[in-house]
């Protein structure tokens, strides 16, 4: 099995790859919730019951065809910083990191597939892909689900479907989501209206790290809220349609800002460039805000397109636990802010100032906005 240091030495495939509509849709994620038949669910289980369930599940998960040379570790054997690094990489949840004895994580070496054992449910499996790739993520996870159906006795009811701890996950146990970068909708004060429309049709909008977290860096996670009574196809089709519409609104907002107020757009991107290139102290929130604008500059043509990949890598590398892992020691908030600024300056040292004469022109093939 892979060591933790080997796992996190390189960025995940979904951090560096390009998918459909990746200028707006950073990642697509599919998650399936499953439980063992005849075993107490994790939230109700005693310590020895959680341990028993883990001993049943872990060998089957490690034997999956995609898990050759994977990372497999009980969470009790990881430090708090190591667990937080996995949270920052979206490989385990905050809730899973806080779990006690009997919880584990099994993560495929490219970090595109991760399984949480004894989180809220016995099994939380997820697939992450770059760009708008919900179908590809679902197909890869379906293979794993089929393998586990053969290897493990899963809790299933012919009327309710897969049994889960939370009633909203009953049925398919499917949670589909996409992480969207929506700076133009934020700058044009349209974000509230768009997200309200998304909520009205039964989808959830969350922050960078899911439920209960703040939206940072103009990143918003859109997902389905319930699964009972709906097929996987219905859930995926509705989410794809809404994400496509939100992306269209973002593209049109970018074009409108360039047409109506190019000076403001240039100023925002230029200020972000100046702060990131020259700051000696910067906290997470400020850094993510400016990286969002710098990424927008790369998408609009103010900066080289490679700027987008640089910003995406920095989004992860400047997170608190990653900074502490990089430094090899526990850091105070002040030390993190200083080291974060140093890393950003180093990555951007060869980046030339934005070319304010270069702007993205509206493409005739861009779709017209639709009403959500």
């Amino acid at each position: 099995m892979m060591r933790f240091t080997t796992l996190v030495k390189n960025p995940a495939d979904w951090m560096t790859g390009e998918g459909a509509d990746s200028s707006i849709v950073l990642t697509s994620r599919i998650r399936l919730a499953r439980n063992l038949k005849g075993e107490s669910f994790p939230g109700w289980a005693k310590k020895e019951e959680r341990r028993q369930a883990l001993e049943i599940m872990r060998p089957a998960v490690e034997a999956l065809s995609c898990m050759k040379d994977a990372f497999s570790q009980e969470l009790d054997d990881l430090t708090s910083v190591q667990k937080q690094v996995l949270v920052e990489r979206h490989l385990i949840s905050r809730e899973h990191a806080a779990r006690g004895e009997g919880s584990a994580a099994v993560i495929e070496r490219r970090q595109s597939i991760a399984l949480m054992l004894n989180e809220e449910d016995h099994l939380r499996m997820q697939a992450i892909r770059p760009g708008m790739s919900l179908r590809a993520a679902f197909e890869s996870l379906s293979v794993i689900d089929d393998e586990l159906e053969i290897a493990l006795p899963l809790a299933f009811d012919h009327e309710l479907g897969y049994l889960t701890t939370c009633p909203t996950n009953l049925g398919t146990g499917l949670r589909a989501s996409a992480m969207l970068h929506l700076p133009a909708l934020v700058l044009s004060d349209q974000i509230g209206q768009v997200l309200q429309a998304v909520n009205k049709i039964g989808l959830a909008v969350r922050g960078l790290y899911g439920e209960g977290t703040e939206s940072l860096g103009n990143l918003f996670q859109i997902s389905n809220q319930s699964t009972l009574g709906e097929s996987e196809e219905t859930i995926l089709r509705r989410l794809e349609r809404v994400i496509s519409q939100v992306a269209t609104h973002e593209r049109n907002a970018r074009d409108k800002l360039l047409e109506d107020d190019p000076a403001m757009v240039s100023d925002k991107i230029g200020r972000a460039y100046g702060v990131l290139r020259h700051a000696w102290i910067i906290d997470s929130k400020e850094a993510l805000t400016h990286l969002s604008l710098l990424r927008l500059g790369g998408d609009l043509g103010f900066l080289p397109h490679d700027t987008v990949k640089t910003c995406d890598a920095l989004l992860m590398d400047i997170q608190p636990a990653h900074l502490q892992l990089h430094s090899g020691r526990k850091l105070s908030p002040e030390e993190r802010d200083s080291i974060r600024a140093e890393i950003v300056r180093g990555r951007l040292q060869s980046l030339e100032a934005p070319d304010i004469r270069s702007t993205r022109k509206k493409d005739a093939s861009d779709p017209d906005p639709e009403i959500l």
Side-chain angles (χ1 to χ4, degrees), residues 187 261-275 289-290 293-294 296 354:
L187 288 173
D261 202 349
M264 182 273 286
V265 177
S266 300
D267 182 67
K268 292 285 187 183
I269 295 170
R271 285 174 182 269
Y273 171 86
V275 170
T289 298
H290 291 314
L293 293 168
L294 209 64
L296 177 64

Side-chain angles (χ1 to χ4, degrees), residues 246-315:
V246 173
T248 296
H249 281 284
E250 170 66 19
R251 277 191 295 270
N252 290 338
R254 294 179 184 190
D255 289 333
K256 187 68 172 171
L257 284 173
L258 285 177
E259 181 180 341
D260 292 350
D261 202 349
M264 182 273 286
V265 177
S266 300
D267 182 67
K268 292 285 187 183
I269 295 170
R271 285 174 182 269
Y273 171 86
V275 170
L276 293 172
R277 283 278 281 111
H278 301 289
W280 284 76
I281 297 174
I282 192 166
D283 63 29
S284 293
K285 187 172 183 178
E286 183 183 10
L288 290 172
T289 298
H290 291 314
L291 284 171
S292 168
L293 293 168
L294 209 64
R295 189 184 200 277
L296 177 64
D299 285 329
L300 295 178
F302 287 87
L303 294 160
H305 187 66
D306 283 352
T307 306
V308 172
K309 287 187 176 181
T310 302
C311 290
D312 288 348
L314 281 169
L315 286 174

Side-chain angles (χ1 to χ4, degrees), residues 74-367:
E74 290 192 34
L75 297 192
D76 272 359
D77 295 331
L78 297 174
T79 67
S80 59
V81 169
Q82 288 174 328
K83 286 186 279 191
Q84 188 57 32
V85 166
L86 297 181
V87 171
E88 290 173 357
R89 292 199 176 203
H90 302 276
L91 297 172
I92 66 172
S93 65
R94 294 178 303 152
E95 294 76 14
H96 197 212
R99 292 278 175 178
E101 184 179 341
S103 293
V106 182
I107 302 168
E108 180 246 1
R109 62 183 300 109
R110 296 175 301 171
Q111 303 172 53
S112 296
I113 302 287
L115 281 84
M116 293 178 280
L117 281 59
N118 278 336
E119 197 238 26
E120 180 178 276
D121 295 291
H122 285 132
L123 283 164
R124 285 282 180 96
M125 40 187 144
Q126 70 169 27
I128 310 180
R129 295 289 185 273
M132 186 58 186
S133 310
L134 286 172
R135 298 283 172 167
F138 177 72
E139 288 168 8
S140 64
L141 210 54
S142 293
V143 173
I144 293 171
D145 192 33
D146 290 344
E147 290 185 44
L148 290 177
E149 285 271 16
I150 296 171
L152 296 171
L154 299 182
F156 182 83
D157 182 90
H158 288 290
E159 289 186 5
L160 297 175
Y162 289 101
L163 303 182
T164 56
T165 298
C166 181
T168 58
N169 291 322
L170 277 170
T172 61
L174 170 69
R175 178 65 56 84
S177 65
M179 187 73 72
L180 278 69
H181 183 226
L182 307 175
L185 288 174
V186 173
L187 288 173
S188 59
D189 293 324
Q190 298 179 62
I191 192 68
Q193 178 184 351
V194 171
L195 298 186
Q196 186 178 23
V198 170
N199 283 317
K200 281 184 177 178
I201 59 175
L203 298 178
V205 181
R206 298 182 169 92
L208 183 58
Y209 292 106
E211 190 170 357
T213 63
E214 183 183 4
S215 171
L216 299 171
N218 298 318
L219 295 170
F220 299 86
Q221 189 178 145
I222 299 179
S223 68
N224 63 303
Q225 293 200 75
S226 61
T227 65
L228 185 61
E230 293 187 314
S231 68
E232 292 93 339
E233 177 61 29
T234 299
I235 293 169
L236 291 175
R237 191 187 308 121
R238 181 172 67 248
L239 190 61
E240 286 174 331
R241 176 175 58 83
V242 172
I243 290 171
S244 175
Q245 292 173 2
V246 173
T248 296
H249 281 284
E250 170 66 19
R251 277 191 295 270
N252 290 338
R254 294 179 184 190
D255 289 333
K256 187 68 172 171
L257 284 173
L258 285 177
E259 181 180 341
D260 292 350
D261 202 349
M264 182 273 286
V265 177
S266 300
D267 182 67
K268 292 285 187 183
I269 295 170
R271 285 174 182 269
Y273 171 86
V275 170
L276 293 172
R277 283 278 281 111
H278 301 289
W280 284 76
I281 297 174
I282 192 166
D283 63 29
S284 293
K285 187 172 183 178
E286 183 183 10
L288 290 172
T289 298
H290 291 314
L291 284 171
S292 168
L293 293 168
L294 209 64
R295 189 184 200 277
L296 177 64
D299 285 329
L300 295 178
F302 287 87
L303 294 160
H305 187 66
D306 283 352
T307 306
V308 172
K309 287 187 176 181
T310 302
C311 290
D312 288 348
L314 281 169
L315 286 174
M316 197 65 62
D317 292 342
I318 64 170
Q319 296 295 323
H322 277 76
L323 291 176
Q324 294 182 97
L325 189 71
H326 170 78
S327 300
R329 62 185 179 89
K330 187 176 178 64
L331 301 171
S332 68
E334 293 77 17
E335 288 175 316
R336 292 201 301 265
D337 293 348
S338 176
I339 293 173
R340 180 180 296 111
E342 181 183 355
I343 289 174
V344 172
R345 289 198 314 273
R347 298 278 185 91
L348 301 180
Q349 63 180 345
S350 61
L351 182 64
E352 295 185 1
D355 180 2
I356 62 172
R357 297 165 300 174
S358 230
T359 59
R360 175 186 178 275
K361 301 299 182 182
K362 181 171 176 63
D363 191 321
S365 65
D366 280 351

Side-chain angles (χ1 to χ4, degrees), residues 1-2 51 53-75 77 103-109 113-117 123 144 147-148 151-152:
M1 286 290 168
M2 179 185 292
R51 170 64 58 184
L54 182 62
E55 290 175 355
I56 294 171
M57 294 183 290
R58 193 173 175 185
V61 172
E62 290 178 347
L64 290 167
S65 57
C66 67
M67 289 300 179
K68 183 180 179 181
D69 299 324
F71 170 81
S72 179
Q73 195 77 50
E74 290 192 34
L75 297 192
D77 295 331
S103 293
V106 182
I107 302 168
E108 180 246 1
R109 62 183 300 109
I113 302 287
L115 281 84
M116 293 178 280
L117 281 59
L123 283 164
I144 293 171
E147 290 185 44
L148 290 177
L152 296 171

